[in-house]
Each structure stands twice: as C-alpha cells, then as structure tokens.
Amino acid sequence: MTTHRSLFSSLLFLGLSIPQAIMSPAWISVLCLGGYFLLPGPVSCEGAGKRQKKTPDKKAGNKDCKADIAFLIDGSFNIGQRRFNLQKNFVGKVALMLGIGTEGPHVGLVQASEHPKIEFFLKNFTSAKDVLFAIKEVGFRGGNSNTGKALKHTAQKFFSVDSGVRKGIPKVVVVFIDGWPSDDIEEAGIVAREFGVNVFIVSVAKPIPEELGMVQDVGFVDKAVCRNNGFFSYHIPSWFGTTKYVKPLVQKLCTHEQMMCSKTCYNSVNIAFLIDGSSSVGESNFRLMLEFVSNIAKIFEISDIGAKIAAVQFTYDQRPEFSFTDYTTKENVLAVIRNIRYMSGGTATGDAISFTVRNVFGPIRDGPNKNFLVIVTDGQSYDDVRAPAAAAHKAGITVYSIGVAWAPLDDLKDMASEPKETHAFFTREFSGLEQIATDIIRGICRDFLESQQ
Ligand SMILES: *[C@@H]1O[C@H](CO)[C@@H](O)[C@H](O)[C@H]1NC(C)=O
C-alpha cells in the first residue's frame, strides 16, 4: 500500500521538485487515481480528470513507445556508491518519462558488477510508480563492472517469454558505462545482435586522455552497440546535472523504426527441409531424420510474422508435407513433423530440389525473410543435382546439404552453398545428425548476419 510519504520520498529521490513531477500527466493521474491531493493550486484532480478523458486508459501507458527495455546499470567499485545513486536517479527519470504501461514500454533492471544480477524482470512491474519504487530499492553490489559478461547474461537470460518479453516488440538494452568496461564487450555485442536485442550504450564520464592507457579497447562503444551509426550511443559528461539528458534518451528509446537489431536469424528466416524417404533409410532412421528436423525447427521463433518452416519428402517422387504458410505456431509445426509418414522408394534429389524451389519457395519469394533449404539424404541421387542446386543458389536460397551413410561427398558439395566447407555435412551414422543440427542452426544465424551487413 502506497502512502503519501513513500510517494513524496520517491519524488524527492528522483531529484524532481514536486511541481515538476506533478507537471507530468502520468503523475497527475497516478496521484489522483490514488486519491492524493499533494498540492493546492493549478493542478487539481479535476484537471487531471479532464486530461484523462483525452487519454482514457492511463494504465495502458504510452502506446507510441512500444519497447521491452532492460536497463543495465553499472554497479562497480569504479562508479562507487554515490554516483551509483545518481545513476539510479537518472534511470528513474528516464523510466518515468517513457510512459510505462500495459500497452506502452515495459522495463526491467540488471546490475553489472562482479557477477551480473537481474534485479527485476519486464513482467514484475507494469506501472511507472512500481518501477520507481523498485529502482529505489536496488542495492549497490560493487566489484569489477564486467559489463561484457553482464550484457551477455542480459541478452540470454533477461529476454525470455517467461520473464515477460512480448512478441513483435523491440528488445532493448540500455547499458550504462561509467568510464570504460573492465572486460571485453565485443562478443557480448555479437550475442545480443544474434538474440535480436538492440544495444544502446550510455557512456558517462569518458576516459580522459591520461586514462586512455588503461582502456583495453577505446572503440568499445562501436563494438557493442546494435549498429555503429551513431543512433545507438549516447554520451553524458558526468553524473551531475543529468536532467537535460533524459528527454533525448527517451526519444531514442521510443524510435521503433530504428531498432534494426530486432530482426534476427530466429525470427526472420524461412527454412525448408528436403527429407530423403528412400527405401535404404528404413523406418527407425527415418524417425531420427524427423528428430533432426524438429531439433532445428524448435529453435526458431515460428509465427505468421516470424520464422517459417516447410518440409518436402522425396523418393523418385515428391510429397510436400507442409508449406511455409500452413502452420504459424511452433507447437503445430512440431506436431506435423512428428506425424510425417515414411514413403520408401528411390532417390531423385535433383528433381526434389527443383520441385521445392518452384512450389515451396516460389509463393513466398518476395517476402522479407532470408531463405534456407536443408537437404538430408542417405544415398546417391539417381538424377543430376548440379543444375537444380545452381538454380536454387541463383534464386537466393542458401542450401545446406547433409549426407548420411552412402551419400557421396561430390553430391553434397554440388548441392551446398558457398563456402562448401560450412554448408556440406556428412555423418556415417544417423545418430550423428544430432550434433549437425547445432552446426546448422549456428550456420543459419551466421549466414543471416552476413546477409544483413
Ligand atoms: C519478479 O518476478 C519473479 C517471477 O515471477 C519473482 O520470482 C521475483 O521475485 C520478482 N521480483 C521482484 C523484485 O518482485
């Protein structure tokens, strides 16, 4: 239960004078909905009531600023307790101005220190008031900043569906760095990009010339941000007098169309599987092939606006099992893969490739996703694969070939995209497919990233 006193203290904690805080429409409604009359004068709850008619649902927040934001604050000995509090103060002001609400931005907080700590997740609080109280409660941890470690942890652990990430809404980390990071943040930047997280760096008190010798990598900002185009970095000269930097930062964080890193290999690819149903495979190995397909498919964010999966089984003949647009949830895609029935017959891989390019990729050719074809076969193709594979490459489809048992290496190389070493795989046993699934996922993400540059 909120009291006058705690509200007052949280406003004071923010360094806002009461009139300044009350000027904010969000606060007027917070105060008035709670039945508070803090000040006589021009701002009364009646006035706020009129305002409320224009914006009927305050709980909804700022609908024009849809973002899921993690503030990654610096909790190192380097920043110290005093500036740590100024940092919390600044983050509180940013959070307040964002317009947090059920349909507006959601925020959480992670503290970088020797070991990163997620202080609260996106779903813990969906009102500005609650977020402010939570920020105020965060205790200083100390140690090295280990910002790279903390950023990686945030990209991997903070943005899960369980912790409140919303579909189709940009994921953002705002990293506060006092001085310079104590560890390498380049790799963390790559991981964050792979996870579709837009990294912003707010650097405060840049190293002075005398300190530059101690900085591991002076280009650290450009290496960690989503894109080094200037949009994703922001500099504040010192922790004192930061109020004027609140609004420009909020404006950046609310610029949806600039969030380029939200497109990822997990949500922006079409993957078609070409599955060998020839007699030599056998029922139990055929099941292992389906498991391989599932293991890859389940990693991707399948939806009508996200990743799409299709599968074709082939012998001499081709059977489209499901197309890219048939199923738009992961559950349905995994279920249909489980239910694929083994055909049994010959092996005409060339025809199967041509069929898939024409009938499976054809209808979605102009879509925004990057196209991949994953071919699994256990033997020599009866027909020539070279021309059909070349046509697939020419159509912008990146081809992975996976051979098992008797599949000839030459065929695998002919089918795979360049560079062949990273797109053609071979295993003697069907059980070897499990490891290859991981390689394919990594490869798809690598190809995707390269195509974005
Ligand atoms: C946030 O939510 C999680 C899971 O629901 C819970 O375990 C955690 O204690 C909450 N944290 C705070 C600060 O309320």
Side-chain angles (χ1 to χ4, degrees):
M1 175 64 200
T2 313
T3 65
H4 281 186
R5 219 172 122 212
S6 57
L7 254 175
F8 260 117
S9 63
S10 77
L11 293 174
L12 293 176
F13 146 76
L14 284 173
L16 296 175
S17 66
I18 300 296
Q20 213 183 348
I22 294 223
M23 288 307 286
S24 149
W27 270 98
I28 293 171
S29 72
V30 168
L31 298 174
C32 294
L33 288 175
Y36 299 110
F37 283 82
L38 287 178
L39 278 185
V43 178
S44 72
C45 282
E46 276 168 45
K50 277 187 198 125
R51 256 174 207 277
Q52 280 213 325
K53 276 183 194 133
K54 281 184 210 150
T55 49
D57 188 3
K58 268 297 167 209
K59 274 180 72 178
N62 181 4
K63 290 182 195 168
D64 294 330
C65 180
K66 281 199 195 301
D68 284 337
I69 303 172
F71 291 109
L72 176 55
I73 63 173
D74 188 336
S76 67
F77 283 136
N78 187 44
I79 190 171
Q81 175 80 62
R82 179 156 178 241
R83 285 180 295 171
F84 180 76
N85 287 341
L86 293 169
Q87 176 182 227
K88 284 206 301 185
N89 193 323
F90 180 74
V91 172
K93 288 182 203 172
V94 172
L96 182 59
M97 193 176 265
L98 279 169
I100 294 166
T102 50
E103 287 170 54
H106 288 182
V107 309
L109 194 108
V110 185
Q111 183 175 177
S113 57
E114 200 63 44
H115 304 290
K117 183 183 177 205
I118 297 176
E119 302 283 357
F120 58 91
F121 287 99
L122 292 165
K123 71 170 181 197
N124 283 105
F125 312 107
T126 52
S127 81
K129 185 184 65 167
D130 293 341
V131 167
L132 288 183
F133 288 136
I135 293 172
K136 197 183 150 196
E137 293 297 309
V138 170
F140 176 60
R141 287 168 64 80
N144 280 315
S145 64
N146 290 341
T147 314
K149 184 175 168 187
L151 175 56
K152 202 166 158 185
H153 184 74
T154 307
Q156 292 171 330
K157 299 281 154 63
F158 179 89
F159 292 102
S160 69
V161 174
D162 286 344
S163 64
V165 147
R166 294 168 291 175
K167 264 200 180 132
I169 290 186
K171 295 175 242 186
V172 176
V173 184
V174 186
V175 186
F176 289 88
I177 298 181
D178 178 85
W180 59 89
S182 64
D183 64 349
D184 175 38
I185 60 174
E186 184 172 3
E187 195 212 331
I190 294 169
V191 171
R193 261 169 256 141
E194 278 183 9
F195 276 80
V197 174
N198 296 273
V199 176
F200 280 80
I201 302 268
V202 178
S203 55
V204 187
K206 272 188 190 158
I208 55 172
E210 296 83 81
E211 291 170 333
L212 281 175
M214 291 185 274
V215 184
Q216 209 185 95
D217 182 354
V218 288
F220 69 86
V221 170
D222 278 352
K223 288 181 179 164
V225 289
C226 165
R227 289 277 188 288
N228 58 358
N229 58 4
F231 178 75
F232 295 93
S233 56
Y234 195 62
H235 181 65
I236 298 177
S238 105
W239 288 112
F240 299 92
T242 54
T243 307
K244 65 172 177 288
Y245 301 102
V246 173
K247 196 170 169 193
L249 182 58
V250 167
Q251 280 167 343
K252 272 179 189 266
L253 300 181
C254 292
T255 313
H256 194 154
E257 59 278 9
Q258 294 261 24
M259 303 287 184
M260 296 175 265
C261 285
S262 296
K263 284 229 155 289
T264 71
C265 60
Y266 301 107
N267 66 18
S268 302
V269 293
N270 301 321
I271 307 169
F273 292 91
L274 199 43
I275 307 163
D276 186 341
S278 61
S279 304
S280 52
V281 174
E283 182 73 40
S284 69
N285 285 334
F286 187 74
R287 292 287 128 203
L288 289 176
M289 284 196 339
L290 295 185
E291 206 169 296
F292 167 78
V293 171
S294 291
N295 284 342
I296 296 174
K298 74 180 180 201
I299 295 297
F300 292 88
E301 294 169 16
I302 300 166
S303 80
D304 53 348
I305 56 158
K308 295 186 180 65
I309 309 287
V312 174
Q313 187 177 172
F314 71 99
T315 53
Y316 284 146
D317 212 353
Q318 305 88 30
R319 188 168 79 197
E321 301 289 352
F322 61 101
S323 81
F324 285 125
T325 48
D326 285 346
Y327 302 99
T328 54
T329 69
K330 193 177 292 187
E331 294 71 29
N332 289 344
V333 165
L334 295 180
V336 70
I337 293 170
R338 262 196 309 276
N339 288 327
I340 291 176
R341 282 174 305 108
Y342 177 41
M343 286 165 80
S344 187
T347 311
T349 319
D351 275 352
I353 295 171
S354 299
F355 176 89
T356 308
V357 170
R358 191 172 54 245
N359 298 298
V360 177
F361 286 100
I364 51 100
R365 181 155 304 156
D366 298 325
N369 288 1
K370 183 162 172 56
N371 293 319
F372 291 90
L373 174 61
V374 178
I375 305 168
V376 201
T377 176
D378 84 323
Q380 176 128 37
S381 178
Y382 160 85
D383 62 0
D384 194 355
V385 296
R386 278 172 299 186
H393 302 160
K394 198 154 168 261
I397 300 163
T398 302
V399 180
Y400 282 89
S401 62
I402 298 101
V404 190
W406 300 282
L409 232 47
D410 284 346
D411 272 10
L412 297 175
K413 285 199 176 145
D414 285 338
M415 293 189 287
S417 289
E418 295 283 354
K420 307 287 182 190
E421 314 80 73
T422 53
H423 292 83
F425 294 84
F426 178 79
T427 169
R428 272 182 206 294
E429 310 279 340
F430 280 86
S431 58
L433 287 174
E434 200 173 331
Q435 170 56 40
I436 293 176
T438 311
D439 296 328
I440 301 290
I441 295 159
R442 290 224 179 101
I444 288 173
C445 282
R446 184 197 52 229
D447 290 340
F448 177 83
L449 267 180
E450 281 170 8
S451 74
Q452 295 298 100
Q453 280 156 10

